[in-house]
Structures are given as structure tokens and as C-alpha cells.
């Protein structure tokens, strides 16, 4: 199969497209013929070696955690899915950006989603749902999402709105219309956030989800009034000293099914900023690593 691979840790230039061995699904896994895969910050952090102690990989490695495609092989013990079904889902830390990929968690991809939208939905939605569920019931609550224009932040906005929350999202001013279209009340991140929130949410903020790890976690705790009302999916370094809970992405098919059900209802759609062909995988990683991405970057096979 053709795949994106890197043989050493490094910047995006270490990525190449080459022939690689076909993967085989193990028990409880499926293999898909990939239509598209997304690029996530974890992908370039792993590729660059920044998290090699936490997330070691065997080299050469294929980047990518989530993808969409049609099932072409089914592992032992798997039920409820058939060859030819269109699914989106997650595999391991690596392996998705290739013609064939193994998934350990998946759900049917809504017909309303394009391949790009489905490719961008899996990791973003399970990460967002992990954080939102850690915060408890959302209906009738006011939720602040820090970093609301990114892939996970945007998913959190739509999923929280669907759960009945009033959502305030932080982003650069150029992304405020984007947040409004997703159902959030936009405001700008950075110094003075508490004062700006007083204007848009005079009743205060009940809960906070940090998806940005921008150094604002201490201020977010002050805004919420108690670290128990704040969850981060991004700032592992500061969470411990501040008493803030960390929610990590989990390969949970129930979360994927929940996101897909909302997708089928038109209440959640992964927002794709740009797509790249497989041959431009290095450009896709460089785009993601450059920051200021609105929504998701997707590689199309």
C-alpha cells in the first residue's frame, strides 16, 4: 500500500510517500480502505519527537490517528459491521495516513458528512466529549470554551450546544463569525478575558473547558471560581499544580456513535479548513504545526 511515513524524528521534511506493508487487523479491530485522514497536533508532536517518552513509536512510522473509509477486512470477534460499510474512527497513535488503516474504535459515518468532514470528526469529537462529560450535566449551564475555533474546540462548541449549554468561545477576532455560526457567543482570548466575559455573560460562567493550553489555565480557574469547574484536554503541565482535571482522548465507540448521531441530525459537523492530497503530507503537517488553524486539516487519499 502507499502510505505517508517518516524514518526518523524531525520537522515535516522527514515525511515521504512510499510503499509500506499492508496492516492486518487483530481481534476486535477492522481494516478500512482509507478515503481521508486528518492531521492533529498530536501527529506532529509525535513525528517531531517532542513526546517520544510519553508516546514512543516504532520507526518507520505512519502518521495519523483517525480516518474514514470503507471496511475491507474484519478482525476476530468483531460484530455489527460488514465489509463495504463506510465508517470513521480511530486506531493507534500512528497508522491512519495510508491507503489501508486498522481501527480499534469506529462508528458508521453519517451520509451527510463528506469524507473530509468524517475524517476530521473522530479524534476531535472523542476528545471534546471526554472533556465535556468530565464537567457533568451541561443543559442550562453557561460553558466557556478556551480555543473554540480549533478542531477540538469547535467540536466542543457544537456538542455542548447540542447538549443544551449556552456556550461562550474564545478565538481571534477573525474567527468570531465562525464561532457564531456554530452557536457560540464569541469573545477574544488573552489578557482581560474576565472583563470581556462580564460584558457577554453578566450572570457568570458555570463551567470551563480548555482546549488551547495557551497558558491561561490559572486565569480560567479564577473565572470559574473553583478548579473543580474547569477541565483541560490540553494543558497537562499546569493542570496538576492548579488542581484542574485532565480529560484525555479515548478510543470509545460510544462517543463516536454519539457524535455520528448528532451528525446525522445536522447538529455536529467537523469543520475542515483545508484538504491536501497524500503527496503533500509534509505541507499538511507544516500547516497544522504553524498554528492558527480554524477547524481541521485533512489529507485525502
Amino acid at each position: 500500500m502507499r502510505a505517508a511515513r517518516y524514518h526518523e524524528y524531525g520537522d515535516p521534511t522527514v515525511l515521504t510517500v512510499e510503499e509500506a506493508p499492508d496492516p492486518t487487523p487483530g481481534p476486535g479491530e477492522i481494516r478500512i480502505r482509507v478515503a481521508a485522514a486528518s492531521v492533529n497536533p498530536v501527529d506532529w508532536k509525535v513525528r517531531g519527537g517532542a513526546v517520544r517518552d510519553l508516546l514512543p513509536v516504532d520507526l518507520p512510522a505512519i502518521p495519523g490517528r483517525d480516518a474514514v473509509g470503507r471496511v475491507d477486512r474484519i478482525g476476530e470477534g468483531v460484530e455489527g459491521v460488514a465489509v463495504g460499510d463506510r465508517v470513521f474512527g480511530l486506531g493507534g497513535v500512528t497508522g491512519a495516513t495510508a491507503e489501508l488503516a486498522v481501527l480499534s474504535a469506529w462508528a458508521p459515518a453519517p451520509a451527510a458528512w463528506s469524507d473530509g468532514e468524517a475524517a476530521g470528526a473522530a479524534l476531535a469529537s472523542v476528545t471534546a466529549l471526554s472533556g465535556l462529560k468530565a464537567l457533568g450535566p451541561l443543559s442550562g449551564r453557561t460553558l466557556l470554551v478556551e480555543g473554540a475555533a480549533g478542531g477540538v474546540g469547535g467540536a466542543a462548541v457544537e456538542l455542548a450546544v447540542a447538549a443544551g449549554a449556552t456556550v461562550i468561545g474564545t478565538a481571534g477576532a477573525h474567527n468570531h463569525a465562525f464561532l457564531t455560526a456554530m452557536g457560540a457567543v464569541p469573545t477574544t482570548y488573552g489578557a482581560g478575558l474576565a472583563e470581556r466575559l462580564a460584558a457577554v455573560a453578566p450572570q457568570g460562567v458555570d463551567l470551563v473547558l480548555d482546549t488551547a493550553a495557551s497558558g491561561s489555565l490559572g486565569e480560567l480557574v479564577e473565572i470559574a471560581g473553583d478548579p473543580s469547574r474547569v477541565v483541560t484536554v490540553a494543558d497537562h503541565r499546569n493542570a496538576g499544580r492548579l488542581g484542574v482535571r485532565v480529560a484525555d482522548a479515548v478510543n470509545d465507540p460510544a462517543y463516536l456513535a454519539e457524535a455520528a448521531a448528532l451528525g446525522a441530525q445536522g447538529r455536529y459537523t467537523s469543520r475542515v479548513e483545508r484538504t491536501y492530497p497524500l503527496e503533500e503530507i509534509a505541507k499538511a503537517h507544516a500547516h497544522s504545526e504553524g498554528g492558527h488553524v480554524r477547524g481541521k486539516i485533512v489529507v485525502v487519499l
Side-chain angles (χ1 to χ4, degrees):
M1 68 171 184
R2 291 169 66 249
R5 290 210 295 182
Y6 52 98
H7 293 252
E8 60 182 340
Y9 293 118
D11 65 24
T13 62
V14 302
L15 289 161
T16 186
V17 177
E18 60 191 28
E19 289 296 317
D22 292 355
T24 301
E29 298 177 333
I30 62 171
R31 189 176 74 181
I32 63 170
R33 187 159 293 278
V34 177
S38 77
V39 176
N40 301 286
V42 68
D43 299 333
W44 48 260
K45 290 175 183 178
V46 169
R47 184 216 71 228
V51 293
R52 71 179 72 184
D53 293 335
L54 180 65
L55 298 172
V57 297
D58 294 327
L59 298 175
I62 296 169
R65 283 197 62 181
D66 52 350
V68 62
R70 295 201 176 269
V71 179
D72 88 327
R73 186 171 293 186
I74 297 172
E76 181 182 351
V78 173
E79 298 179 351
V81 68
V83 170
D85 287 354
R86 181 175 179 257
V87 301
F88 74 113
L90 297 151
V93 174
T94 58
T97 316
E99 289 180 326
L100 298 169
V102 170
L103 305 182
S104 58
W106 62 87
W113 285 353
S114 68
D115 285 338
E117 290 164 346
L123 187 58
S125 64
V126 300
T127 305
L129 285 170
S130 294
L132 294 174
K133 290 180 184 298
L135 288 167
L138 296 175
S139 182
R141 314 298 294 280
T142 298
L143 169 72
L144 171 65
V145 177
E146 176 82 320
V152 175
V157 167
E158 285 200 299
L159 294 167
V161 168
T166 297
V167 180
I168 302 168
T170 68
H174 62 288
N175 282 325
H176 284 190
F178 178 70
L179 296 189
T180 300
M182 292 193 292
V185 177
T187 192
T188 306
Y189 54 78
L193 177 59
E195 290 76 12
R196 291 190 296 277
L197 286 173
V200 298
Q203 77 284 3
V205 169
D206 299 310
L207 304 166
V208 179
L209 178 64
D210 169 42
T211 71
S214 61
S216 64
L217 198 57
E219 184 181 10
L220 296 177
V221 170
E222 292 180 7
I223 288 168
D226 193 296
S228 67
R229 295 163 62 184
V230 181
V231 168
T232 183
V233 298
D235 195 348
H236 295 67
R237 183 171 62 87
N238 291 309
R241 68 177 180 83
L242 293 169
V244 171
R245 288 168 294 168
V246 174
D248 290 318
V250 290
N251 284 22
D252 190 333
Y255 286 3
L256 295 171
E258 183 175 344
L262 291 170
Q265 297 165 20
R267 302 170 74 190
Y268 166 58
T269 301
S270 174
R271 309 299 172 119
V272 178
E273 176 174 294
R274 183 168 174 180
T275 62
Y276 289 86
L278 178 62
E279 290 72 20
E280 295 183 2
I281 181 65
K283 290 182 179 179
H285 269 233
H287 185 168
S288 177
E289 199 165 351
H292 305 293
V293 176
R294 182 172 70 184
K296 299 288 298 191
I297 293 171
V298 171
V299 174
V300 177
L301 282 85

